[in-house]
Every structure is written in C-alpha cells, then in structure tokens.
Amino acid sequence: MEKLSNPQKTIAIIQKYEFAFQKKFGQNFLIDEHVLRKIIAASEITEDDMVLEIGPGIGTMTQYLAEAAGRVTAVEIDKKLIPILRETLAAYDNVEILNEDILKVDIARLTEEKNGGKPIKVVANLPYYITTPIIMGLLENRVPVKSITVMVQKEVALRMQAQPGKKDYGALSLAVQYYCEPYIAANVPPNCFIPRPKVGSAVIRLTAHEKPPVAVADEKMMFRVIRASFNQRRKTLVNGLYNSPELDFSKEEIQNALEKLGVSAGVRGEMLTLEQFARLTDFLMEGKK
Ligand code: SAM
C-alpha cells in the first residue's frame, strides 16, 4: 500500500473514517517522509529488534518500523484508531496493536512476554502531554531497553541533554543522563505534522548505559536530593534540601556534607554535576549514621 507519509494518503484515510483529532491525546500525525526516515535511521533498528511503539496514530511510522524491525508492538489509547490501524497495517504480519493507555501497561512484563526479557527498542512520536511520565517510567522501572528514540517538544529535548550551569539543566537532565546517553538527531518544524503543533519538535535518541556513569549507595535517595535541589530554583542548595518534604536532614548535616564535597554553602543545585550529586548523597547518608 502507498505509504501514509504521503499527506494526500493521510488525508484520504482520515476522511474515509471521519476521524476527528483529539487534542487531549496529543494527536499530531507525521506527514514527512524525510523525518520518518531520519527517525528510523537514528533508532538503528535491525531485524533482530523488537520495537515498542507508543501511540501509532494511523500507523504512519509503524509502516516504517515494521519494515525495519523483527517485530513491533504498538500501544494506542484511542479506540477510534484501531480499525484504521487494521487497514493501514494489513500488509505487515509482524505488528501487534494493543488498545491500551501506555501509562497503565507493565512494559517490563510486556518485554518479558514478547521478547523473553531481552532488551527492546522504544520508538515513538510521543503525545507531548505525557512525555516526562513515559520516559521516567521506562527509566526508573528499569525496563530492559537498548535505546529510546522519540519525537518530543524541542525544549524537552534540550532539557534532557543539558549540562550543569545551563538554563535548561534540571532533574530531567540528571535522570536521563544517569541511565542513558542522549543525542539529538533532528529538529522538526510544525509543518511536518497534521495538525500542526504550536511548538517546535526534536528527535532525541537515548542510548541506555550498560551501567550508570556514577556509583551511589542509595539511588532513590539521590533522586530525592536532585528533585529537592531543583524544586526551589532560586534558593541555595542548603535551603532547598532543608525545606524538602521528601528529605529529613538538619541544616548542619547538609552543611557538613557540602563541606566534604568541597563546595560553598551558598551553591545552587544547577551548578552540580551528576558525580557531585552522587557524592553529596553518600555524604548526607554517612552523616546520618
Ligand atoms: N505515531 C503517529 C505519528 O507519528 O503520526 C501518532 C503520533 S501522535 C503525536 C501521539 C499518539 O499517541 C496519538 O495517536 C495518541 O492517540 C496516542 N496516545 C496519546 N496518549 C496515549 C496513551 N496514554 N497511551 C497510548 N497512546 C497514547
């Protein structure tokens, strides 16, 4: 069948099924073949890969994924899209469509069932309203993934790869970089979608680290410390950590830990590297013993 990346074909399918775009589901469908090819190239999919696609829409990217990968499981929340997907993907026998909310799917279990627990690749043009919970869910739940290649809002892609001291640097940068190596593969303007989103987009690939680049005794505690450090951006680190409802350290304990780290008590969270957050967490925990 003719590819849906041809805008006329997309419009014809939408009219045939009288499909109404749902803003609440973040529905902006890709209509640019060049961008689709870039996503497939960036994801480095081979026939050995099982791919999880989040939000296939009418199946535009799924057609390309099915041709490149061994198997594709596509999870779509909107039940109105399911009959459309059955038509647009009829030629591919290696695609399975699940009508589910991705935030309610146990992806680690799905990976176990569909790929014997071997790492999968995630590829998606994400619904932007749930980008962070989807990405954090994949990372924090230690879903076995080789890589995650996703279209996101450009500003979110910049936050994911930001370095200390930069304005975009924050808790998301540190979480992503603890688990993965980020790489922005393309910038994508609004006219590559139907309907056009109000924001610019970017394709980012997150390649999973074999092991995290820093060692920390209590990983969960480190992320609490990181969140507390960025919750009150204009406050010093001492106040941010002291005021956090997630943490229980006295000002003295915090000051002692910062001294051991060799940074001034007036430092702000956005100046610390991932390695410094790991050490700071270890010093805070040691101070409690
Ligand atoms: N992959 C298609 C494309 O590139 O043209 C569609 C991408 S569109 C930006 C996002 C898709 O995610 C929509 O099809 C939307 O219905 C779906 N979606 C939104 N929320 C979802 C959720 N919680 N679980 C699964 N799919 C969801």
Side-chain angles (χ1 to χ4, degrees), residues 57-68:
I58 57 170
T60 314
M61 190 155 75
T62 326
Q63 294 181 330
Y64 287 82
L65 293 171
E67 282 171 12

Side-chain angles (χ1 to χ4, degrees), residues 179-210:
Y179 295 106
C180 303
E181 174 78 35
Y183 162 70
I184 294 186
N187 285 315
V188 182
N191 63 7
C192 295
F193 303 84
I194 177 173
R196 292 179 184 195
K198 290 205 176 69
V199 291
S201 302
V203 178
I204 189 163
R205 183 185 67 218
L206 310 175
T207 309
H209 292 307
E210 282 194 10

Side-chain angles (χ1 to χ4, degrees), residues 18-289:
E18 296 178 352
F19 177 75
F21 288 95
Q22 297 254 29
K23 226 178 178 174
K24 69 168 183 194
F25 288 146
Q27 291 175 340
N28 301 95
F29 298 163
L30 268 167
I31 45 163
D32 188 296
E33 187 189 340
H34 181 67
V35 171
L36 285 152
R37 290 197 188 283
K38 266 205 171 155
I39 297 172
I40 301 298
S43 64
E44 297 176 346
I45 300 167
T46 71
E47 281 179 2
D48 294 331
D49 288 314
M50 180 197 147
V51 170
L52 168 67
E53 186 190 7
I54 298 164
I58 57 170
T60 314
M61 190 155 75
T62 326
Q63 294 181 330
Y64 287 82
L65 293 171
E67 282 171 12
R71 268 168 314 128
V72 181
T73 297
V75 178
E76 174 55 61
I77 197 170
D78 187 350
K79 66 176 187 309
K80 297 235 165 74
L81 288 167
I82 307 302
I84 304 185
L85 288 164
R86 301 237 178 277
E87 175 180 338
T88 60
L89 301 173
Y92 305 99
D93 60 6
N94 59 345
V95 179
E96 182 181 13
I97 301 155
L98 302 178
N99 184 204
E100 309 260 8
D101 175 349
I102 192 66
L103 295 179
K104 295 191 182 139
V105 174
D106 182 342
I107 304 175
R109 207 167 101 194
L110 188 87
T111 306
E112 188 60 50
E113 280 169 18
K114 310 273 178 211
N115 208 34
K118 290 200 303 288
I120 59 166
K121 288 184 179 167
V122 177
V123 186
N125 170 15
L126 286 179
Y128 294 169
Y129 74 107
I130 45 172
T131 301
T132 306
I134 291 175
I135 299 292
M136 292 311 294
L138 288 166
L139 301 178
E140 282 177 346
N141 299 325
R142 292 290 172 106
V143 174
V145 290
K146 287 187 209 157
S147 62
I148 304 170
T149 306
V150 280
M151 178 88 71
V152 295
Q153 219 172 306
K154 186 171 176 191
E155 175 213 314
V156 175
L158 294 175
R159 273 165 50 203
M160 286 179 179
Q161 66 149 30
Q163 295 298 311
K166 300 283 184 254
K167 80 171 178 6
D168 296 316
Y169 187 63
L172 183 67
S173 329
L174 285 151
V176 162
Q177 293 168 31
Y178 180 69
Y179 295 106
C180 303
E181 174 78 35
Y183 162 70
I184 294 186
N187 285 315
V188 182
N191 63 7
C192 295
F193 303 84
I194 177 173
R196 292 179 184 195
K198 290 205 176 69
V199 291
S201 302
V203 178
I204 189 163
R205 183 185 67 218
L206 310 175
T207 309
H209 292 307
E210 282 194 10
K211 78 180 201 344
V214 302
V216 61
D218 185 339
E219 194 180 289
K220 284 215 166 80
M221 178 58 77
M222 178 176 75
F223 283 110
R224 270 185 236 149
V225 168
I226 288 173
R227 275 196 297 276
S229 308
F230 289 96
N231 261 349
Q232 299 178 300
R233 263 197 181 254
R234 260 156 294 161
K235 295 254 164 70
T236 62
L237 200 53
V238 176
N239 284 331
L241 297 178
Y242 179 68
N243 292 331
S244 167
E246 279 194 288
L247 300 174
D248 181 26
F249 298 107
S250 68
K251 279 207 171 166
E252 199 190 346
E253 285 166 339
I254 298 166
Q255 273 153 353
N256 286 341
L258 287 175
E259 200 173 309
K260 279 195 196 159
L261 189 66
V263 299
S264 88
V267 75
R268 291 176 197 281
E270 60 255 38
M271 297 313 294
L272 296 195
T273 63
L274 179 58
E275 175 65 33
Q276 285 175 310
F277 273 111
R279 294 291 64 78
L280 175 62
T281 309
D282 285 347
F283 292 143
L284 284 165
M285 298 304 279
E286 281 166 26
K288 273 277 176 222
K289 280 178 194 156

